[in-house]
Amino acid sequence: MVTQPRLIAMTEAERTIALAGAPEEVASLLLEAAEAGHDEAQLLVGQIHLDGQGVPRNAGEALRWFGLAAKSGNAMAMNMVGRCCEHGWGTSVDKPLAARWYGAAADQGLDWGLYNLATLHALGEGVPQDRARALALFCQAAAMGHAKSINMIGSFYEDGWVVDRDMEQAADHYRRAAEGGDFRGQFNHARMLAAQGDMDGAHLWLTRMQETT
């Protein structure tokens, strides 16, 4: 009889308590579940190796676990493989490959996949520069409430990229991004408030930005 990994056998309440424990014990529980083939555990094992939480920091091992979870169809793991390829974590920098992984995650409707692919299109890194495509992808992610994408749409309106320059639209998007917890959105919202003479409001959001970062 195959024994279930401890983490999987726990009730939801027990699992919540266990995952709030000492980093080394959390790592042990996650690794046991990951080795049994649970893709969410594999994703988390990749992340703790990337961050060095409860295990030695090892970007190569992180990429291996992200890859295993991605092969199971885990969209966030696909996104994380893309991050590794984009930034050279555990592998050489390969932005075209990063774009393909982001695209795979985006095809599954993952907001972070949409955002990261949009960023590459906006910059022309790994893919042809295509700001119209980037804006469309940012809008898809923003419709899901993705604060960083909402902030980027604000930048498009402020700079007049693809769309007509519209400072009211820019300010509204920066406000929404700020309220959604994006620190760049908080900075931009504060900047807009200061330009309007609302120094108290600007100070409030700059303070929140420092707390967010």
Side-chain angles (χ1 to χ4, degrees), residues 24-44:
E24 292 77 11
E25 179 59 21
V26 171
S28 175
L29 289 169
L30 288 173
L31 185 59
E32 183 182 301
E35 288 175 338
H38 292 270
D39 63 293
E40 282 295 328
Q42 291 170 342
L43 170 65
L44 292 172

Side-chain angles (χ1 to χ4, degrees), residues 3-80:
T3 303
Q4 270 196 324
R6 288 170 294 164
L7 196 63
I8 305 304
M10 292 177 183
T11 65
E12 186 174 346
E14 290 171 337
R15 193 176 300 120
T16 298
I17 293 170
L19 292 176
E24 292 77 11
E25 179 59 21
V26 171
S28 175
L29 289 169
L30 288 173
L31 185 59
E32 183 182 301
E35 288 175 338
H38 292 270
D39 63 293
E40 282 295 328
Q42 291 170 342
L43 170 65
L44 292 172
V45 168
Q47 192 64 55
I48 63 174
H49 276 96
L50 194 61
D51 298 337
Q53 293 291 323
V55 291
R57 190 188 300 271
N58 187 329
E61 191 68 358
L63 176 57
R64 185 176 77 84
W65 284 107
F66 290 143
L68 287 171
K71 288 178 182 177
S72 297
N74 187 295
M76 183 57 81
M78 294 174 186
N79 178 71
M80 290 308 299

Side-chain angles (χ1 to χ4, degrees), residues 22-159:
E24 292 77 11
E25 179 59 21
V26 171
S28 175
L29 289 169
L30 288 173
L31 185 59
E32 183 182 301
E35 288 175 338
H38 292 270
D39 63 293
E40 282 295 328
Q42 291 170 342
L43 170 65
L44 292 172
V45 168
Q47 192 64 55
I48 63 174
H49 276 96
L50 194 61
D51 298 337
Q53 293 291 323
V55 291
R57 190 188 300 271
N58 187 329
E61 191 68 358
L63 176 57
R64 185 176 77 84
W65 284 107
F66 290 143
L68 287 171
K71 288 178 182 177
S72 297
N74 187 295
M76 183 57 81
M78 294 174 186
N79 178 71
M80 290 308 299
V81 174
R83 294 274 289 165
C84 290
C85 293
E86 181 181 1
H87 298 289
W89 299 338
T91 186
S92 57
V93 171
D94 189 336
K95 294 191 178 183
L97 183 56
R100 290 198 291 275
W101 279 107
Y102 291 150
D107 286 345
Q108 291 203 33
L110 182 72
D111 52 359
W112 279 105
L114 291 161
Y115 170 81
N116 287 321
L117 181 59
T119 300
L120 292 184
H121 275 295
L123 299 173
E125 295 184 350
V127 289
Q129 187 176 59
D130 186 341
R131 287 176 174 168
R133 174 69 173 147
L135 180 58
L137 291 165
F138 283 134
C139 286
Q140 279 185 259
M144 301 175 195
H146 192 259
K148 287 186 177 297
S149 294
I150 296 170
N151 175 69
M152 288 303 301
I153 296 170
S155 295
F156 273 66
Y157 278 110
E158 182 173 6
D159 296 328

